[in-house]
Amino acid sequence: MTERIVVVGAALLDGGRLLAARRSAPPELAGRWELPGGKVEPGERPEAALVRELREELGVEAEAVERIPGSWPLRPPYELHVWTAHLRPGSAAPAPLEDHDELRWLTPSDIWTVPWLDQDVPAVRAALPRLGAASPDA
Ligand code: CDP
């Protein structure tokens, strides 16, 4: 039996918007958009992996808030779990440091204007209801 490996994706929320990241590599994924994140390392808590991945990939200090129920298959043995997250006060603004070449904050009405990775689509759909709740001025 192959062990499953969890990939954590962040629904990073700010002012009712969701951060989408365009992959620059590998070639078969380049140009498609995803929830930023990456593999949970052995013995690592998923929330800690999320914070680490967002620091590495985007240069931000973030906090995992809550897991969005669900688990989405990626290529075996990976599966995607998604957590809502927000930037900590004083964090740098996100920048595409590795893996990505463009970032975009999407409102609910522009959420489907970018070509998401197929496997991220159900996770983005599940994250969508959280956008409104994150905005104090919505
Ligand atoms: O950064 P790390 O090497 O830990 O992970 P990654 O290369 O960013 O992601 C691991 C795998 O999960 C890759 O095959 C990605 O394509 C996939 N992935 C995904 O399908 N959707 C995401 N939101 C994040 C990662």
Side-chain angles (χ1 to χ4, degrees):
M1 190 184 87
T2 315
E3 199 77 11
R4 291 169 311 156
I5 300 178
V6 172
V7 171
V8 283
L12 186 62
L13 303 175
D14 184 46
R17 300 168 307 162
L18 171 73
L19 189 77
R22 189 172 69 182
R23 284 200 76 110
S24 52
E28 62 274 19
L29 302 181
R32 304 288 293 275
W33 295 72
E34 69 173 8
L35 299 173
K39 301 178 200 86
V40 177
E41 290 173 359
E44 190 179 35
R45 294 176 62 231
E47 299 96 316
L50 192 86
V51 168
R52 175 181 54 72
E53 289 285 349
L54 296 181
R55 186 181 295 132
E56 291 170 3
E57 294 186 354
L58 307 175
V60 298
E61 292 305 318
E63 182 173 31
V65 178
E66 60 175 344
R67 177 148 172 222
I68 296 179
S71 171
W72 296 279
L74 305 176
R75 70 186 154 80
Y78 300 107
E79 64 180 42
L80 180 65
H81 294 186
V82 174
W83 293 70
T84 58
H86 57 65
L87 296 176
R88 290 183 176 278
S91 169
L97 303 181
E98 49 178 53
D99 298 346
H100 305 116
D101 61 5
E102 193 181 337
L103 303 176
R104 216 174 271 179
W105 288 105
L106 300 173
T107 62
S109 58
D110 6 270
I111 205 93
W112 303 116
T113 59
V114 300
W116 292 98
L117 289 174
D118 294 344
Q119 59 269 30
D120 279 44
V121 166
V124 172
R125 193 176 293 123
L128 197 48
R130 314 291 173 117
L131 268 67
S135 171
D137 6 84

